[in-house]
Amino acid sequence: MASFENAGSGAMVRKVAAAVVENRAWLSEIDGKIGDGDHGNNMAKGFGRAAERISDGDTLDAAFATVTDVLMGEIGGSMGPLYGMFFSDMADVVAGKERIDAPTFAAMLAAGAEGVMAIGEARPGDKCLLDALCPAVTAAEENAAKGFPETLVAVRKAAEDGRDATVDMIAQIGRASRLGERSRGVQDAGATSCALILVTLADAIEARLS
Amino acid sequence: MASFENAGSGAMVRKVAAAVVENRAWLSEIDGKIGDGDHGNNMAKGFGRAAERISDGDTLDAAFATVTDVLMGEIGGSMGPLYGMFFSDMADVVAGKERIDAPTFAAMLAAGAEGVMAIGEARPGDKCLLDALCPAVTAAEENAAKGFPETLVAVRKAAEDGRDATVDMIAQIGRASRLGERSRGVQDAGATSCALILVTLADAIEARLS
Amino acid sequence: MTDDIRTKKLINAPEDIIPEAIEGMLLAHPDMLKVEGATKRAIVAKDGPRDGKVGVVVGGGSGHEPAFAGYVGRGLADAAAVGNVFASPSPEHIMDAARAVDGGAGIMFLYGNYTGDVLNFDMAAEECQGMGIPACSFGVTDDVASAPKGREGERRGIAGDFFVFKIAGAAAEAGRDLDGVIAATKKANDNTRSMGVALSACSLPQTGKPNFDIGHDEIEIGMGLHGEPGMRRGKLATADEVTTELMAGILGDMELGSGDEVAVLVNGLGATGPLELYLLHRRAAKILAEKGVKIHYSWVGEYCTSLEMAGASITLLKLDDDLKTLLDMPCKTPALTVAG
Amino acid sequence: MTDDIRTKKLINAPEDIIPEAIEGMLLAHPDMLKVEGATKRAIVAKDGPRDGKVGVVVGGGSGHEPAFAGYVGRGLADAAAVGNVFASPSPEHIMDAARAVDGGAGIMFLYGNYTGDVLNFDMAAEECQGMGIPACSFGVTDDVASAPKGREGERRGIAGDFFVFKIAGAAAEAGRDLDGVIAATKKANDNTRSMGVALSACSLPQTGKPNFDIGHDEIEIGMGLHGEPGMRRGKLATADEVTTELMAGILGDMELGSGDEVAVLVNGLGATGPLELYLLHRRAAKILAEKGVKIHYSWVGEYCTSLEMAGASITLLKLDDDLKTLLDMPCKTPALTVAG
Ligand SMILES: Nc1ncnc2c1ncn2[C@@H]1O[C@H](COP(=O)(O)OP(=O)(O)O)[C@@H](O)[C@H]1O
Ligand SMILES: Nc1ncnc2c1ncn2[C@@H]1O[C@H](COP(=O)(O)OP(=O)(O)O)[C@@H](O)[C@H]1O
Ligand SMILES: [Mg+2]
Ligand SMILES: [Mg+2]
Ligand SMILES: [Mg+2]
Ligand SMILES: [Mg+2]
């Protein structure tokens, strides 16, 4: 069954960070529609700084831990704790592993999602990053037995579909939750960054598998 | 020699006031270029309020005194004292007169100009209302012997030419005096309102003569 | 072309704005403020924290100046944790503040009720508790526009922070223990209601773009402190009409009757100055007078802003004897001096 | 279409803005302020004027809030004469203020040096003298951008009003006679220098239009308090660069060397808040430190504005022992409280 080596995963996380930094303006712009317009700034600052401290050779858990440290230590905002817990709880699953296969990957995502829900008390359907994340977890869990390639295809699609589905949702959490009907019609910023992170990670894993 | 009755001049002063109120936006706009953009507001407020308190039947000196009272009492700004003294010193010349002829009119304008210079310490050439007023005084004095119609034609032309000449001047007085060369190329707001007042007054006198 | 148009601001590199502003603030108020901790994000009162006194730590994202660091000083907050623009400080920033003000009597954390602030301050409070320091994490919920009656706990904190911070700071200064400070804070928050209106957008230093669109003749009633949409988009109306609507929102949500006393805060959001704010105060005072409500004291000015947004908010704090005593207690901070 | 676009403001009828704002201000500060005289344009300190004390009357056009009425109160101005927006009060407005504060020891009139203010205050001073009340009419001239060295008397008054008013108010409060108050005022004015920068235009409530044009990437160095053009139009630069230029203008015009002491005022013009102002203060403080000049005290905030203009000014007051004593004296006004 396909898998990738834990060591040397730092480069993948740096790719994720680069994707976030590249999408800074876009993420801020959609946050401006029903939020405070800073999602891209917060994310780019955190991931940009983390990337500077991650080496290509780092293990996945070490790289994730660096992201967590920066988010929780220096960034703050909503994303500090939420993505901080996401990466921290994912790191716990893969810590000490030689190689990471699809079931481990699925378990890792699931732990990350649990972490976000534990601290943020939101649920899928609330129009938040969980609407990209939770479908991706389910897709990973359902496809893990078929191996990594199928899993990654399913995760990408689930994350993007989940992100797109937030357009029609009414926000139940965060700043936008006070808007009721007025929050409908706009894509959620956190779901957008989450899908971006998952898709970029899946692409990077795919490249390492082949 | 042509002349007009002092009593019944209030209507003329109300015409002057109406012209000022009508040109409020324009006067503020040109003041904005090298000043603080309020000349039309100040003038319109003062003349508008004065007009409400002037009856058509008032003597010229009574109507002028009302303008002075409003400008000095309620309006303030630069125009309160400057136009306040202008109208007050003009009123002194015509007070008690039955009829006003061209020489009296010339003496009246001259007294008004003296009043403005006494309080404001400016001179023609400083890019201010005196650049419309002083040429008009000279024109009145030089043409008074020829009678009212010629005098009024000359006064109107002198005031308008004087106003237009301010475009090329460098301001020596008031807010714009700090601008040096940058004050060139813009018509002076006070010269514009002064020409407007003189032309409207001349028109009104002409109408009463005929 | 127009895509290149950025809001003009007097800044250096956008990523340096917070550390540089903190440096400038410390240089401006060396008699009152110092910075403590490795993160350099904890601004601490020189003459505030002391043994046996509850430490009061306020904080939140930047862009709301003078909130939050402007309220640090004797008699008000002992420290502020300063976040990035519109983003809560991190637990580490907050812990730097907490450590600096710990006098053995516990820590009171105060901030506006936003997801990010709640998460970060809650984590700091847990960390304190883990170290054996009693701590309470408290989010101010004064904005009536942000959730209906019955769901008060979900409301945002806006300019009402001003009153709640002042009361908490005075309670701590008066020597009350943590439970006493919590009780006073809770009462102040329960008795505080605000509502705001925005006329224009603000723009973040990083993006330089207005963070929402609003028509040239539109206003947003109930706008949040970060440009979050409010209750409704409407046409520009007179100061009296807008004030009447804001006061209706506030008064519809609190019990206030003849003989009651309030403190009033008419707060500018950034680009709306005292000339306009006094017009709002005029109408608000008349509405209160008509109800027989007495104004104990009014503040009119910029106390909690949204960068350079045009707009204002009105806040009422319903007073009882204890709240009045605490509100009147002296304090000395960069943004508020109450003389003794 | 675009001709219909007016700057949004929270006002009622534009012609009522001043009387209504005064009403709102009195309702906000009934403990400190009252209005006196038939014109209703004289705002008088409740606890200020008294027999034997020189009466201090400040004033000018509106639109500069908190100047001028915000500085009325014990220890600062005894009264302010309030003009229309950007227009000096009239002699009658000023006389209402003078009559209210006359304590038999003479009247000190203070205002920024603009044609309109000079004319109107001079007329009021003459009227006082005609009534046997000694009076001095004094225009503040702190703006170095408005006339070159050697022609200081022609300069405009901008935020330096703040320092000159404070010194004059304290001198009168200290019981000095009119000559003594004049001497302190003159020294404060001689020792005060300011320079400002504008990033955007303001618009008058009556016209609702920006009162000058400025490109989206331009700044006006040396801009006056009413949108009068300054020394040069430049491209937007960093906070550090702009501050360096303003400080160069100021320091090039006053003698300041190692061991000297100053008070600093970093003033926002309306839409520029503390976050940016502290960046300016940071750079200004560093420049002063490099010269060995000590900062005695700094104020950073909105003290003298131009409606909603974006921009700022920097003011230095060079201190000696007497000026320092007067500056530190307590005062209590809506805009400035110095605790005893
Ligand atoms: N409790 C929560 N759980 C999960 N995601 C959340 C929660 N609250 C907010 N979010 C996500 O955070 C995003 C906004 O992030 P960001 O703009 O960085 O923070 P803030 O709203 O504090 O400015 C939202 O689009 C939403 O997806
Ligand atoms: N000392 C003076 N003598 C004569 N006219 C003057 C003087 N100072 C200014 N002015 C005139 O005043 C006009 C500006 O008037 P206005 O805008 O109402 O006053 P302010 O400049 O106080 O706003 C200038 O255009 C100029 O013509
Ligand atoms: Mg956001
Ligand atoms: Mg003008
Ligand atoms: Mg935010
Ligand atoms: Mg003016």
Side-chain angles (χ1 to χ4, degrees), chain D residues 36-42 44 91-100:
Chain D
E36 297 240 341
T39 64
K40 295 202 158 67
R41 292 301 188 94
V44 180
E92 285 193 23
H93 300 152
I94 301 167
M95 283 307 297
D96 274 345
R99 278 185 289 263

Side-chain angles (χ1 to χ4, degrees), chain A residues 31 36-39 42 77-78 175, chain C residues 85-88 226:
Chain A
D31 187 35
D36 59 352
D38 64 349
H39 186 60
N42 304 337
S78 303
R175 291 179 200 285
Chain C
V85 177
F86 288 0
S88 164
H226 309 81

Side-chain angles (χ1 to χ4, degrees), chain C residues 192-277:
Chain C
T192 299
R193 295 289 185 283
S194 304
M195 195 156 142
V197 59
L199 274 64
S200 75
C202 56
S203 65
L204 297 168
Q206 287 90 345
T207 60
K209 307 275 170 205
N211 72 345
F212 59 92
D213 295 321
I214 183 162
H216 66 83
D217 59 349
E218 287 182 333
I219 60 177
E220 178 78 28
I221 293 273
M223 168 67 67
L225 255 191
H226 309 81
E228 306 96 330
M231 292 170 88
R232 70 172 188 90
R233 188 61 65 98
K235 289 282 165 207
L236 180 62
T238 65
D240 281 356
E241 287 162 350
V242 170
T243 306
T244 302
E245 180 163 0
L246 299 183
M247 288 294 285
I250 293 167
L251 294 172
D253 199 82
M254 74 197 299
E255 277 182 35
L256 263 188
S258 186
D260 284 336
E261 258 184 290
V262 294
V264 179
L265 172 66
V266 179
N267 174 59
L269 292 180
T272 296
L275 198 57
E276 291 165 74
L277 299 177

Side-chain angles (χ1 to χ4, degrees), chain C residues 6-46:
Chain C
R6 293 171 56 89
T7 308
K8 281 182 278 188
K9 290 185 192 276
L10 286 170
I11 59 173
N12 300 308
E15 56 274 20
D16 298 332
I17 187 168
I18 304 307
E20 288 183 353
I22 288 174
E23 215 185 316
M25 186 174 200
L26 292 166
L27 286 164
H29 312 293
D31 54 324
M32 290 186 257
L33 305 180
K34 59 186 173 178
V35 70
E36 296 239 342
T39 64
K40 295 202 158 68
R41 292 301 188 94
I43 296 188
V44 180
K46 278 208 169 156

